[in-house]
Protein backbone atom coordinates (compact mmCIF):
# COMPACT_ATOMS: atom_id res chain seq x y z
CA UNK A 1 0.00 0.00 0.00
CA UNK A 2 1.20 3.47 -0.77
CA UNK A 3 0.99 6.41 1.60
CA UNK A 4 -1.63 7.99 -0.67
CA UNK A 5 -3.78 4.86 -0.49
CA UNK A 6 -3.41 4.58 3.26
CA UNK A 7 -4.37 8.23 3.70
CA UNK A 8 -7.47 7.75 1.60
CA UNK A 9 -8.49 4.65 3.56
CA UNK A 10 -7.94 6.32 6.92
CA UNK A 11 -9.84 9.45 5.88
CA UNK A 12 -12.76 7.43 4.51
CA UNK A 13 -12.82 5.44 7.71
CA UNK A 14 -12.74 8.56 9.90
CA UNK A 15 -15.65 10.01 7.92
CA UNK A 16 -17.66 6.79 8.19
CA UNK A 17 -17.01 6.51 11.92
CA UNK A 18 -18.01 10.14 12.45
CA UNK A 19 -21.27 9.71 10.54
CA UNK A 20 -22.11 6.54 12.45
CA UNK A 21 -22.07 8.46 15.69
CA UNK A 22 -23.81 11.51 14.29
CA UNK A 23 -20.78 13.74 14.02
CA UNK A 24 -19.66 15.97 11.17
CA UNK A 25 -16.52 14.40 9.60
CA UNK A 26 -15.23 17.93 9.01
CA UNK A 27 -15.02 18.44 12.78
CA UNK A 28 -12.16 15.93 13.03
CA UNK A 29 -8.61 16.87 12.10
CA UNK A 30 -6.16 14.17 11.10
CA UNK A 31 -2.57 14.65 12.26
CA UNK A 32 -0.37 12.32 10.20
CA UNK A 33 2.38 11.27 12.62
CA UNK A 34 5.58 11.21 10.56
CA UNK A 35 8.11 10.57 13.33
CA UNK A 36 10.90 8.22 12.26
CA UNK A 37 9.89 8.58 8.62
CA UNK A 38 11.97 10.57 6.15
CA UNK A 39 11.11 13.81 4.48
CA UNK A 40 10.17 11.86 1.34
CA UNK A 41 7.29 10.26 3.22
CA UNK A 42 5.96 13.68 4.21
CA UNK A 43 6.39 14.90 0.63
CA UNK A 44 4.41 11.91 -0.59
CA UNK A 45 1.57 12.72 1.79
CA UNK A 46 1.66 16.39 0.74
CA UNK A 47 1.47 15.31 -2.90
CA UNK A 48 -1.61 13.29 -1.98
CA UNK A 49 -3.17 16.47 -0.60
CA UNK A 50 -2.49 16.05 3.12
CA UNK A 51 -0.79 18.94 4.92
CA UNK A 52 -1.05 18.37 8.69
CA UNK A 53 1.72 16.41 10.41
CA UNK A 54 2.84 15.44 13.89
CA UNK A 55 6.42 15.05 15.07
CA UNK A 56 7.84 13.84 18.39
CA UNK A 57 11.54 14.63 18.33
CA UNK A 58 12.83 18.18 18.03
CA UNK A 59 16.04 17.56 16.14
CA UNK A 60 14.48 15.16 13.68
CA UNK A 61 11.55 17.51 13.15
CA UNK A 62 13.78 20.53 12.67
CA UNK A 63 15.69 18.87 9.85
CA UNK A 64 12.51 17.86 8.07
CA UNK A 65 10.46 20.99 8.67
CA UNK A 66 13.21 23.40 7.70
CA UNK A 67 13.51 21.53 4.41
CA UNK A 68 9.79 21.34 3.63
CA UNK A 69 8.19 24.45 5.07
CA UNK A 70 5.94 26.29 4.33
CA UNK A 71 3.83 23.75 2.52
CA UNK A 72 2.49 22.08 5.64
CA UNK A 73 1.42 22.53 9.25
CA UNK A 74 3.15 20.74 12.12
CA UNK A 75 2.00 19.76 15.59
CA UNK A 76 4.54 18.81 18.23
CA UNK A 77 3.28 15.72 20.05
CA UNK A 78 6.35 14.49 21.93
CA UNK A 79 7.84 15.32 25.29
CA UNK A 80 9.27 18.84 25.12
CA UNK A 81 12.30 19.79 27.18
CA UNK A 82 12.55 23.41 28.20
CA UNK A 83 15.95 23.85 26.60
CA UNK A 84 14.30 23.00 23.25
CA UNK A 85 11.59 25.63 23.64
CA UNK A 86 13.35 28.04 21.33
CA UNK A 87 13.41 25.68 18.35
CA UNK A 88 9.93 24.38 19.08
CA UNK A 89 8.52 27.92 19.19
CA UNK A 90 10.00 28.57 15.78
CA UNK A 91 9.20 25.44 13.82
CA UNK A 92 5.82 24.25 15.13
CA UNK A 93 2.34 25.60 14.54
CA UNK A 94 0.76 23.90 17.56
CA UNK A 95 2.32 22.24 20.60
CA UNK A 96 -0.01 19.57 21.95
CA UNK A 97 2.04 18.50 24.94
CA UNK A 98 2.35 21.41 27.36
CA UNK A 99 2.26 19.89 30.84
CA UNK A 100 3.96 22.35 33.17
CA UNK A 101 3.93 26.07 33.80
CA UNK A 102 7.72 26.19 33.56
CA UNK A 103 7.55 24.85 30.03
CA UNK A 104 4.70 27.20 29.14
CA UNK A 105 6.69 30.16 30.44
CA UNK A 106 9.78 29.14 28.48
CA UNK A 107 7.69 28.88 25.30
CA UNK A 108 6.01 32.21 26.00
CA UNK A 109 9.34 33.95 26.28
CA UNK A 110 10.62 32.47 23.03
CA UNK A 111 7.38 33.32 21.24
CA UNK A 112 7.65 36.87 22.49
CA UNK A 113 11.15 37.14 21.04
CA UNK A 114 9.90 35.73 17.74
CA UNK A 115 6.91 38.06 17.73
CA UNK A 116 4.40 35.28 17.33
CA UNK A 117 1.66 33.59 19.28
CA UNK A 118 0.91 29.89 19.38
CA UNK A 119 -2.01 27.59 20.02
CA UNK A 120 -1.24 24.86 22.52
CA UNK A 121 -2.98 21.93 24.14
CA UNK A 122 -2.46 20.74 27.69
CA UNK A 123 -1.38 17.11 27.90
CA UNK A 124 -3.36 15.34 30.59
CA UNK A 125 -2.31 12.00 32.06
CA UNK A 126 -5.88 10.76 32.48
CA UNK A 127 -4.77 7.24 33.30
CA UNK A 128 -2.33 8.28 36.02
CA UNK A 129 0.22 6.17 34.12
CA UNK A 130 3.68 6.70 35.68
CA UNK A 131 5.28 6.08 32.26
CA UNK A 132 3.34 8.87 30.58
CA UNK A 133 3.87 12.59 30.60
CA UNK A 134 1.06 14.99 31.35
CA UNK A 135 -0.51 16.90 34.16
CA UNK A 136 -3.02 15.11 36.42
CA UNK A 137 -6.72 15.76 35.79
CA UNK A 138 -6.84 17.49 39.19
CA UNK A 139 -4.03 19.91 38.29
CA UNK A 140 -5.33 20.73 34.82
CA UNK A 141 -7.48 23.65 35.92
CA UNK A 142 -4.62 25.33 37.73
CA UNK A 143 -2.24 24.94 34.79
CA UNK A 144 -4.90 26.26 32.41
CA UNK A 145 -5.53 29.37 34.48
CA UNK A 146 -1.80 29.97 34.88
CA UNK A 147 -1.19 29.72 31.13
CA UNK A 148 -4.13 32.06 30.52
CA UNK A 149 -1.99 34.77 32.08
CA UNK A 150 0.73 34.37 29.45
CA UNK A 151 0.54 36.66 26.45
CA UNK A 152 1.74 34.50 23.62
CA UNK A 153 0.13 31.14 24.28
CA UNK A 154 -3.50 30.23 23.80
CA UNK A 155 -4.77 26.95 25.20
CA UNK A 156 -7.25 25.57 22.68
CA UNK A 157 -7.80 22.13 24.17
CA UNK A 158 -6.58 19.00 25.88
CA UNK A 159 -4.54 16.04 24.65
CA UNK A 160 -4.02 12.59 26.10
CA UNK A 161 -2.25 9.29 25.55
CA UNK A 162 -4.13 6.58 27.46
CA UNK A 163 -2.20 3.72 29.08
CA UNK A 164 -1.46 0.86 26.69
CA UNK A 165 -4.42 -1.50 26.61
CA UNK A 166 -5.03 -4.79 24.82
CA UNK A 167 -8.17 -3.57 23.11
CA UNK A 168 -9.31 -0.18 21.87
CA UNK A 169 -12.48 -0.52 23.90
CA UNK A 170 -10.42 -0.51 27.09
CA UNK A 171 -9.18 2.97 26.20
CA UNK A 172 -12.72 4.36 26.15
CA UNK A 173 -12.91 5.39 29.84
CA UNK A 174 -9.75 7.48 29.39
CA UNK A 175 -11.10 9.26 26.31
CA UNK A 176 -14.39 9.83 28.08
CA UNK A 177 -12.56 11.24 31.10
CA UNK A 178 -10.70 13.74 28.92
CA UNK A 179 -13.94 14.85 27.26
CA UNK A 180 -15.70 15.27 30.59
CA UNK A 181 -12.77 17.24 32.00
CA UNK A 182 -12.82 19.58 29.00
CA UNK A 183 -16.59 20.02 29.27
CA UNK A 184 -16.27 20.87 32.92
CA UNK A 185 -13.55 23.46 32.28
CA UNK A 186 -15.40 24.87 29.27
CA UNK A 187 -18.67 25.18 31.19
CA UNK A 188 -16.81 27.43 33.60
CA UNK A 189 -15.40 29.47 30.70
CA UNK A 190 -11.80 28.68 31.59
CA UNK A 191 -10.66 28.37 27.97
CA UNK A 192 -10.00 31.94 26.92
CA UNK A 193 -11.63 32.90 23.60
CA UNK A 194 -12.18 29.32 22.51
CA UNK A 195 -15.57 28.37 21.04
CA UNK A 196 -14.77 24.77 20.39
CA UNK A 197 -12.37 23.06 22.73
CA UNK A 198 -10.08 20.65 20.88
CA UNK A 199 -9.67 17.10 22.14
CA UNK A 200 -6.58 15.38 20.77
CA UNK A 201 -6.97 11.68 21.40
CA UNK A 202 -6.84 8.45 19.42
CA UNK A 203 -4.05 6.75 17.44
CA UNK A 204 -3.95 4.00 14.79
CA UNK A 205 -5.27 1.33 17.14
CA UNK A 206 -8.06 3.17 18.90
CA UNK A 207 -9.19 6.18 16.89
CA UNK A 208 -12.69 4.79 16.27
CA UNK A 209 -13.38 4.78 19.98
CA UNK A 210 -11.79 8.22 20.37
CA UNK A 211 -14.06 9.66 17.66
CA UNK A 212 -17.08 8.16 19.39
CA UNK A 213 -15.97 9.89 22.58
CA UNK A 214 -15.56 13.27 20.90
CA UNK A 215 -12.00 13.52 19.55
CA UNK A 216 -11.49 16.54 17.29
CA UNK A 217 -7.83 15.80 16.57
CA UNK A 218 -6.60 12.28 15.99
CA UNK A 219 -2.92 11.39 15.63
CA UNK A 220 -2.22 8.54 13.26
CA UNK A 221 1.18 7.21 12.27
CA UNK A 222 1.34 3.50 11.58
CA UNK A 223 -1.91 3.26 9.61
CA UNK A 224 -0.60 5.91 7.21
CA UNK A 225 3.16 5.44 7.00
CA UNK A 226 3.55 1.81 8.09
CA UNK A 227 5.59 0.29 10.92
CA UNK A 228 8.30 2.50 12.39
CA UNK A 229 11.87 1.21 12.62
CA UNK A 230 13.63 2.12 15.85
C1 LIG B 1 3.66 7.87 17.77
C2 LIG B 1 2.50 8.62 18.31
C3 LIG B 1 1.24 8.55 17.70
C4 LIG B 1 0.93 7.66 16.50
O1 LIG B 1 0.83 6.34 16.89
P1 LIG B 1 0.41 5.18 15.85
O2 LIG B 1 0.03 4.06 16.73
O3 LIG B 1 1.59 4.91 14.99
O4 LIG B 1 -0.75 5.70 15.07
C5 LIG B 1 0.22 9.33 18.22
N1 LIG B 1 0.41 10.13 19.28
C6 LIG B 1 1.60 10.22 19.90
C7 LIG B 1 1.74 11.12 21.07
C8 LIG B 1 2.67 9.45 19.44
O5 LIG B 1 3.85 9.54 20.10
Amino acid sequence: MTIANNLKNVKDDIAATARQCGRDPESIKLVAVSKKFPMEAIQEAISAGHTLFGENYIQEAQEKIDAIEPEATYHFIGHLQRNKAKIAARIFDVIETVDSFKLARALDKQLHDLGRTMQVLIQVNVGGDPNKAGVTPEDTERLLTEINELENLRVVGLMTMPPLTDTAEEARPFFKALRELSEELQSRKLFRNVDEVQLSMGMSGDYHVAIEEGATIIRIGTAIFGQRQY
Side-chain angles (χ1 to χ4, degrees):
M1 288 298 264
T2 64
I3 290 170
N5 273 328
N6 291 345
L7 266 169
K8 181 177 186 314
N9 289 340
V10 168
K11 286 183 180 183
D12 287 349
D13 194 37
I14 291 169
T17 308
R19 283 192 209 96
Q20 272 162 25
C21 55
R23 296 188 56 197
D24 176 3
E26 297 288 316
S27 68
I28 300 161
K29 284 201 266 290
L30 170 62
V31 173
V33 178
S34 44
K35 65 173 176 223
K36 300 286 177 194
F37 282 92
M39 214 164 68
E40 290 73 22
I42 298 179
Q43 291 286 15
E44 206 175 320
I46 292 175
S47 300
H50 189 80
T51 54
L52 175 57
F53 299 92
E55 288 281 345
N56 289 58
Y57 308 103
I58 291 292
Q59 195 187 336
E60 178 192 334
Q62 185 182 11
E63 286 164 15
K64 290 191 268 185
I65 295 173
D66 281 344
I68 299 173
E69 238 184 0
E71 292 168 73
T73 301
Y74 298 90
H75 286 202
F76 185 73
I77 61 170
H79 180 65
L80 185 58
Q81 290 166 318
R82 257 180 293 154
N83 61 6
K84 301 278 168 61
K86 184 173 183 170
I87 307 174
R90 179 174 68 80
I91 64 177
F92 286 100
D93 299 283
V94 175
I95 293 177
E96 296 198 12
T97 48
V98 174
D99 65 354
S100 77
F101 187 58
K102 281 182 176 169
L103 173 61
R105 217 168 35 196
L107 282 168
D108 184 62
K109 180 178 176 302
Q110 298 299 337
L111 289 162
H112 172 85
D113 292 350
L114 291 166
R116 65 182 298 215
T117 59
M118 188 183 268
Q119 297 189 356
V120 300
L121 285 81
I122 291 178
Q123 181 174 8
V124 185
N125 187 356
V126 274
D129 182 342
N131 298 315
K132 294 250 149 65
V135 71
T136 64
E138 296 73 31
D139 288 339
T140 304
E141 172 176 346
R142 186 173 46 154
L143 181 56
L144 175 56
T145 33
E146 284 172 346
I147 299 178
N148 281 343
E149 299 300 315
L150 299 175
E151 252 172 50
N152 306 292
L153 293 185
R154 187 157 69 103
V155 182
V156 296
L158 307 178
M159 176 271 198
T160 199
M161 286 262 277
L164 268 185
T165 53
D166 291 335
T167 66
E169 197 51 42
E170 287 171 83
R172 186 182 299 277
F174 302 108
F175 296 147
K176 183 162 180 275
L178 193 75
R179 171 169 48 79
E180 288 175 348
L181 178 61
S182 83
E183 286 168 352
E184 150 80 16
L185 297 170
Q186 177 71 335
S187 74
R188 291 166 45 218
K189 308 254 186 305
L190 294 175
F191 290 94
R192 236 183 10 175
N193 302 321
V194 177
D195 294 333
E196 272 201 81
V197 178
Q198 303 295 313
L199 286 178
S200 176
M201 55 190 197
M203 320 201 304
S204 292
D206 56 16
Y207 67 88
H208 299 91
V209 176
I211 290 171
E212 287 166 12
E213 291 300 333
T216 66
I217 298 174
I218 55 178
R219 312 175 308 264
I220 299 189
T222 310
I224 295 171
F225 294 109
Q227 289 294 337
R228 286 178 291 274
Q229 311 286 324
Y230 282 95

